[in-house]
Structure formats: structure tokens, C-alpha cells
Amino acid sequence: MQKTKLLIVALGALFALPALAQEAAVAQHKEGVHVIPASAHTATTNIGLVSNYVWRGLTQTGDKPAIQGGFDYGHASGIYAGIWGSNISWVSDAGIATNASVELDAYFGFKSSFAEDFTYDIGYVRYMYPGTYNPGFAKVDTDEIYGAVGYKWVTAKYSYSLSDFFGTADSSGSSYIELNGSYTLEGPGVTLGAHYGEQTVSGAANSGLDYSDYSLKVSKDFSGYVLGALISETDISGDDTNYVFSVSRSF
């Protein structure tokens, strides 16, 4: 008999919990307390202007300015995806196409952390160059996968092409390895960056296309507007030093 009473009391308490929770929620609402759960999703937009679009040490715009922008989505799990675009001229400058003036990059990946102060990032990116291509020239669209490991302010990254490398015949499997450093001086809020990379183009006939590049960068955030200056060089004979000034903003 005692066990039956205890069971009835327990069941009553169980069924009363939702009502009590609802009453508490109503009380919070009346008192002006609103609890909004944090979203697991984030979306950002970025736009920028550069005096010269330089990628892996090489100008993509013939030393001319570029307008750039993109959209990024991120999930609390570490999954992300995005698209980014810029005006370019190198495809037309090389005589490969007549009106390929835009680069569009689509990418997705996963990034997270491990141990203390360590991060990792793995993903895929497709570089696309829509336009009218001249006879005898292959499209320069390129697919790469990448992996990166970071420790505090230093990151090492490896990229590997799944397709021919920007229209170069028999170059699938080309790779780019890079080391990047970024450190912000707390007092003035200035961020200093350094980069070194080595591009290897696969294929017996393409060994002469291998090169290295290195750069230094300084930037500062002014109320959401980031101003930057970059100096970039390669070990390609006759290649000029690139000086880049930029302004960008994210929303």
C-alpha cells in the first residue's frame, strides 16, 4: 500500500513538471526576461578593394586594382562553406580566352581544434574562370583539396590539385605548401603577417614552372575597416616585386 502511494505521488510530480515549466516561462515573460538560445549558424559577407590582386606571389590583374567580395557560412560543428569572387585579367592577357575577366571560388570544409592552442582545417576549393576560350586552349578551372595545421599564430598548409593545374597539360597532382604567420601587437592593434610558399607543378614537361614566393604584410582595423599593405616576391627570373594596398570590411 505504501509503495502504491509513493508511485502515485511520483507520477503526479512527473506530469506536473511541464505545467510548472510553462508557468515559469510565463513568469519570465511577464518580468521582461527573454532567453534566446544562441544560433549554431553564422553567416558573414566581406568586400574589399586591392591595388593589385596577388595570389601565390603572382599578379592576377596585370598589376591593376581589383574589387573582391564573398559570402561565408559556418556551423558550430566546424563545417563551413562559401563563395568568393574577384575581377582578373591573366587568362585574357595570356591569350587563353577573349573575355574571361572574373574569378569565382567555391569551397567547403571542416575546421576545429585539438590539444592546447592547436587547430586544423581540411577542405575543397574550385577555382572557376567563366568566359569564351580561344580554340586550342583548355579551360583553366582547377580543383584543389587542402589541409592545414595551426599552432597559436603559425599555420602550415598543403594544397593538392585534383585536376590539371590552371590549364597546364598533364599537371594533375600539382601541390602548394605554405607557412603563414600572423601576430597582433596588442598596444597599437597592428597585425603583422609573413608568408612563404612553394608551388610544384607536376608532369615531366612542367618542372620549369616550379617556383617559390614570400611576402610580408601589415594591417590594422579601423572601426571595422581593415587597411593593409603587402610586399610580395617570387624567385622567378624577371618577375617584379608586387606592392599591394588594400581596404576591406566584413558584415
Side-chain angles (χ1 to χ4, degrees):
M1 187 65 179
Q2 185 65 26
K3 291 182 178 180
T4 302
K5 290 182 178 179
L6 290 175
L7 180 59
I8 293 173
V9 171
L11 288 173
L14 180 63
F15 284 108
L17 284 176
L20 291 174
Q22 185 177 8
E23 288 179 6
V26 171
Q28 283 187 333
H29 178 74
K30 289 181 178 179
E31 294 170 4
V33 179
H34 302 278
V35 180
I36 302 175
S39 174
H41 309 275
T42 58
T44 58
T45 301
N46 62 84
I47 187 169
L49 175 66
V50 294
S51 61
N52 182 12
Y53 172 21
V54 174
W55 182 77
R56 294 183 183 175
L58 304 177
T59 178
Q60 308 295 293
T61 51
D63 299 319
K64 293 180 174 62
I67 297 176
Q68 306 171 333
F71 174 82
D72 290 284
Y73 163 80
H75 189 267
S77 64
I79 296 173
Y80 65 88
I83 189 166
W84 181 88
S86 174
N87 62 284
I88 54 99
S89 66
W90 72 268
V91 182
S92 297
D93 294 343
I96 299 172
T98 56
N99 63 347
S101 59
V102 175
E103 172 188 334
L104 292 174
D105 304 339
Y107 49 89
F108 64 85
F110 177 82
K111 56 185 176 182
S112 188
S113 59
F114 66 99
E116 184 176 355
D117 296 322
F118 281 92
T119 60
Y120 67 92
D121 183 1
I122 54 175
Y124 160 87
V125 57
R126 178 171 176 80
Y127 303 95
M128 298 171 285
Y129 302 86
T132 302
Y133 284 73
N134 294 323
F137 289 94
K139 294 191 70 173
V140 298
D141 294 0
T142 300
D143 301 281
E144 284 189 343
I145 55 174
Y146 56 85
V149 176
Y151 176 70
K152 292 186 176 180
W153 49 273
V154 179
T155 302
K157 182 179 179 181
Y158 178 78
S159 301
Y160 179 89
S161 66
L162 302 175
S163 62
D164 280 344
F165 187 69
F166 297 96
T168 305
D170 303 318
S171 60
S172 176
S174 298
S175 63
Y176 185 72
I177 185 168
E178 59 187 292
L179 185 65
N180 299 293
S182 180
Y183 185 80
T184 301
L185 303 175
E186 293 185 3
V190 173
T191 299
L192 306 176
H195 162 87
Y196 176 79
E198 291 187 356
Q199 179 69 65
T200 301
V201 183
S202 65
N206 300 323
S207 60
L209 300 177
D210 298 350
Y211 71 94
S212 300
D213 72 286
Y214 31 92
S215 64
L216 295 173
K217 183 178 182 179
V218 59
S219 62
K220 181 175 173 58
D221 189 325
F222 293 92
S223 301
Y225 292 91
V226 180
L227 303 183
L230 170 79
I231 179 172
S232 175
E233 289 191 351
T234 73
D235 63 356
I236 300 174
S237 178
D239 189 38
D240 295 331
T241 301
N242 288 304
Y243 300 93
V244 182
F245 301 96
S246 64
V247 57
S248 62
R249 183 173 175 83
S250 296
F251 304 91

